[in-house]
Amino acid sequence: MKLLHELQTMSVSYQEICAGEDPWIALGNFMNDFFGNFTEQRLELVQDPIQLPADANPEQWHWAVFCAASVEYLCQQYALACPAWALNPAYTLDEPWYYAPGAHKENIRERLRLRTPSEFTRRNIYCGNRMFANKYELTAQHRA
């Protein structure tokens, strides 16, 4: 159980993914802290580099690259200085990774290629543009 003062950093989220946690549980906990609980500590939430297991399997590598792309994307969106670890060009997949329901279909892949932010496409990840929709901002916009 997480103590109240512990931040769900991207580094912690990646460790949890490598330990077998569902990636979207770990990343969802990160997003809750980034978008809602600790908005004043956003830089701290992305600062620590992720730690790759010595024997990282292909899935863990995909998520490592996804985490690096996510940090760069979020830093760009929220005018934060992006930590050097996330800009490391080694965090790039050799083969395209299409991550979305129906991604086996060419029309879905085409949509993902068109809509995925460059922080992901440069790394060969195609996931669309809604991966980090901020529910707190969307709710405020809807009310207005």
Side-chain angles (χ1 to χ4, degrees):
M1 169 162 278
K2 190 166 81 164
L3 299 175
L4 291 178
H5 67 279
E6 285 185 280
L7 296 177
Q8 181 76 21
T9 66
M10 185 60 81
S11 179
V12 167
S13 294
Y14 183 69
Q15 285 176 321
E16 291 174 356
I17 291 167
C18 289
E21 180 68 79
D22 179 285
W24 287 107
I25 299 295
L27 290 170
N29 290 334
F30 163 79
M31 288 189 288
N32 285 337
D33 280 2
F34 190 89
F35 292 133
N37 299 330
F38 299 104
T39 58
E40 70 286 351
Q41 293 176 271
R42 284 180 170 155
L43 190 56
E44 190 175 344
L45 288 163
V46 299
Q47 196 66 44
D48 293 338
I50 60 174
Q51 299 298 315
L52 282 166
D55 57 347
N57 64 41
E59 183 179 1
Q60 290 168 330
W61 176 243
H62 280 150
W63 287 109
V65 176
F66 186 89
C67 288
S70 298
V71 167
E72 184 183 0
Y73 173 78
L74 290 168
C75 287
Q76 174 67 27
Q77 294 300 303
Y78 291 91
L80 302 171
C82 188
W85 74 265
L87 298 173
N88 184 338
Y91 286 114
T92 302
L93 299 176
D94 292 332
E95 299 291 325
W97 182 31
Y98 292 91
Y99 187 80
H104 62 283
K105 299 177 184 176
E106 185 53 39
N107 64 323
I108 301 294
R109 288 180 176 214
E110 179 61 26
R111 186 173 347 129
L112 292 173
R113 285 191 291 269
L114 292 171
R115 294 184 180 172
T116 300
S118 64
E119 294 85 359
F120 293 88
T121 61
R122 277 197 316 274
R123 291 174 167 87
N124 229 356
I125 297 172
Y126 300 90
C127 55
N129 60 357
R130 304 222 6 105
M131 300 305 272
F132 290 100
N134 182 337
K135 66 183 178 185
Y136 301 98
E137 290 174 2
L138 291 173
T139 299
Q141 291 171 3
H142 181 70
R143 286 186 187 141

